[in-house]
Amino acid sequence: MPSHVSADRPAAQPPGRGSVEALISQTRRLKGDVDAVRRDTQNSGSHPEERWQRALYDLALHQLNDLDEHLAQLRDGPTPLPAGVVAPPARRSSPAPGSLLSRVGSAEWNLLTDEASWSGELFQILGLDPAAPALTLDELPSLVLDEDRSRLTAMVTDCLVDARPIDGEFRVLRPDGKVRTVHMMGEPVLDGGGSTASMWAVLRDVSELRRNQRTVRETRDTMQLHRRQAETEQRLAVELQEAVLPSGRGALRLPRRGPGTLEVAAHHLPSGATTLLGGDWYDALELSDGDTLLSVGDLTGHGVAVASGMTMLLGAVRGMAMAGTRPGQLMSLLNQLLDATVQPALGSAVCCRYRPATRTLTWAQAGHPAPLLFRGGTGCALSAPDGVLLGVTSGAGYGQAEVTLEPGDLLLLHTDGVVPGHSGTDSLDALLGLAPRFGAAHTAQDCVRAVVEEFGESEREDEACVLVARVSE
């Protein structure tokens, strides 16, 4: 059984004014610090995590404001309640509507006379005329929303019948049409015989507090939903990529029989950032006429839509190459395909067709770095034929180039970003600088390993692919 408030209990002694002032000073310093940080977040983006952080700052500041005002009320003393229950007493002037002090009011109900005494703040919380009589316990539920009325009735009954303290919330509909959430705490007051003579309560308007808590909860839930969606998209994108790209484990020999075969090895270099998987691809395929298809490309963007677009382009490359389409015409058709897609996108690609009988490499490119040819311990970029990015303009034409390879030659195809923090000439020089290591390598897989060891461990903003093809001797 909880302890009850005795009718002849000694009056509580207020804490020392100096200690309360010290608490107020500490609270206001903390408010200033929190408000400064909160202002710094006002111009941040609309990402769910940023909105959640702003909501937490608002909630913390709101609670500190409440603490500051409640300490001030403690220092100044509460609105006095009369010792005997009579007509509503003269009240001190109430705080301005909307001020923090107006959020806490007090009341006492005398069960013997059925009279009530309220502080001015309580009238203001409930939106009632301070000149009107205070509502009795029987009349109070008339302000409460229907779905919360039974909760208030149960709390009051438990207090009056079983002498239990009151601690709960309910919503009231004010005469001005506004709905407010009120937190009520109270206790029974016993007479000399141990019977309940009256009930006193402190009522606090917690509407703004609950709104801020709801905002924090909703933004947190939104952030978690976005995180789950991002994780799902990442998983689907990875599964799409793994389903269509050749395995990067070990080397292939294409074609499988005959002279002039290529030993092919490739590797996907993932991004070090937390962004979703992009649209980089590599491919090596033996064609029906004995030629070998080599291609790399990159579709701009990240996520499932881009991975799906990459899958579409790669499937188109394979199908057209298998049908005998030459690299230049293949690029033109890819450009038309990308231009006709529902979601516009840009892409770059290089496509090579290798004929082992003559060791001839025919290739075309669309806004993509040219293949690098390493021979005799040195390397150079092949002279690129004309070709703009895929999806830039309808009806674009794409040139075609041809080069004859020699036994022991090594081709390196790659997407942008293979050398972290470098692009253009700097990236080209870094890759050509691997010529000595390539010359000492025994297999295409060793060459790919050299690229990964040199550049793969560095933090990169975006993913990249590298493909190495070595002409058998």
Side-chain angles (χ1 to χ4, degrees):
M1 180 71 68
S3 59
H4 301 148
V5 180
S6 171
D8 56 354
R9 66 184 184 274
Q13 297 298 315
R17 185 181 182 88
S19 61
V20 175
E21 289 288 0
L23 289 173
I24 292 174
S25 298
Q26 293 174 14
T27 301
R28 291 177 179 174
R29 282 196 298 270
L30 185 55
K31 277 173 53 183
D33 293 341
V34 173
D35 191 41
V37 178
R38 183 181 67 93
R39 286 198 302 270
D40 289 341
T41 67
Q42 293 303 306
N43 296 324
S44 57
S46 58
H47 188 274
E49 185 169 354
E50 293 167 342
R51 292 199 300 270
W52 175 68
Q53 290 174 345
R54 289 199 299 270
L56 279 178
Y57 285 129
D58 288 341
L59 177 60
L61 191 62
H62 176 90
Q63 291 176 319
L64 286 171
N65 280 333
D66 269 2
L67 177 60
D68 182 14
E69 295 295 344
H70 296 339
L71 288 171
Q73 196 170 17
L74 182 63
R75 176 195 61 197
D76 299 337
T79 302
L81 289 173
V85 179
V86 292
R91 307 178 183 96
R92 67 179 181 182
S93 58
S94 299
S99 72
L100 290 168
L101 279 175
S102 69
R103 295 177 183 164
V104 181
S106 55
E108 186 166 352
W109 289 275
N110 188 300
L111 304 182
L112 303 178
T113 63
D114 200 28
E115 292 178 324
S117 175
W118 288 7
S119 69
E121 292 85 0
L122 183 53
F123 279 88
Q124 189 165 307
I125 290 172
L126 301 180
L128 300 177
D129 183 1
L135 299 183
T136 66
L137 283 176
D138 291 334
E139 296 170 333
L140 184 61
S142 64
L143 295 178
V144 179
L145 295 184
D146 291 344
E147 51 267 38
D148 293 355
R149 198 167 292 162
S150 59
R151 185 182 308 136
L152 173 62
T153 300
M155 289 191 299
V156 172
T157 301
D158 289 344
C159 180
L160 299 181
V161 176
D162 299 328
R164 295 179 184 176
I166 288 178
D167 188 353
E169 291 184 7
F170 52 88
R171 291 166 297 169
V172 298
L173 177 63
R174 294 166 32 130
D176 58 10
K178 295 180 180 178
V179 175
R180 309 299 292 179
T181 302
V182 177
H183 184 198
M184 184 177 185
M185 296 183 67
E187 291 185 353
V189 179
L190 307 181
D191 59 18
S195 300
T196 303
S198 63
M199 187 187 85
W200 66 269
V202 172
L203 295 94
R204 180 184 178 206
D205 184 348
V206 294
S207 304
E208 297 303 316
L209 177 61
R210 296 295 174 257
R211 181 187 64 80
N212 284 346
Q213 290 175 331
R214 188 165 55 251
T215 299
V216 169
R217 184 173 60 252
E218 290 172 352
T219 52
R220 182 194 59 221
D221 293 345
T222 300
M223 180 181 64
Q224 292 174 346
L225 176 61
H226 278 245
R227 183 183 296 116
R228 288 194 296 268
Q229 289 175 338
E231 291 171 351
T232 300
E233 285 199 8
Q234 177 74 346
R235 186 181 67 254
L236 291 174
V238 169
E239 291 174 354
L240 274 173
Q241 187 186 65
E242 291 177 346
V244 298
L245 295 187
S247 172
R249 303 182 185 92
L252 298 174
R253 186 168 292 277
L254 301 173
R256 294 177 178 83
R257 299 180 181 85
T261 59
L262 295 177
E263 183 192 11
V264 181
H267 189 76
H268 173 259
L269 298 166
S271 167
T274 57
T275 54
L276 293 172
L277 198 68
D280 289 48
W281 86 79
Y282 62 85
D283 197 22
L285 180 68
E286 182 178 349
L287 302 175
S288 57
D289 59 1
D291 288 359
T292 296
L293 169 71
L294 302 174
S295 70
V296 297
D298 179 12
L299 192 62
T300 57
H302 299 89
V304 174
V306 171
S308 177
M310 177 270 289
T311 303
M312 175 192 68
L313 288 183
L314 183 53
V317 169
R318 290 172 175 173
M320 288 187 287
M322 192 66 75
T325 307
R326 308 303 291 173
Q329 179 63 16
L330 190 151
M331 287 297 175
S332 296
L333 294 174
L334 277 185
N335 184 63
Q336 293 179 30
L337 177 63
L338 201 58
D339 185 58
T341 56
V342 176
Q343 294 182 335
L346 298 177
S348 69
V350 60
C351 180
C352 306
R353 192 180 185 102
Y354 174 72
R355 176 152 294 177
T358 59
R359 297 192 182 93
T360 302
L361 185 79
T362 305
W363 68 285
Q365 63 83 30
H368 199 89
L372 306 184
L373 174 61
F374 293 85
R375 176 183 294 170
T378 61
C380 67
L382 298 180
S383 297
D386 293 337
V388 298
L389 284 170
L390 301 172
V392 167
T393 180
S394 301
Y398 293 85
Q400 189 171 279
E402 190 172 285
V403 61
T404 300
L405 303 180
E406 299 178 2
D409 281 356
L410 185 142
L411 281 173
L412 187 149
L413 283 64
H414 66 92
T415 58
D416 284 332
V418 70
V419 181
H422 296 77
S423 60
T425 303
D426 291 340
S427 177
L428 175 62
D429 291 343
L431 289 170
L432 293 177
L434 294 175
R437 295 190 63 177
F438 290 165
H442 298 291
T443 65
Q445 190 67 50
D446 290 340
C447 296
V448 168
R449 190 175 297 113
V451 175
V452 174
E453 290 173 354
E454 190 72 24
F455 307 117
E457 301 300 325
S458 302
E459 188 78 9
R460 65 183 67 252
E461 295 181 359
D462 205 352
E463 63 179 346
C465 292
V466 60
L467 182 149
V468 171
R470 187 171 187 169
V471 183
S472 62
E473 299 188 26

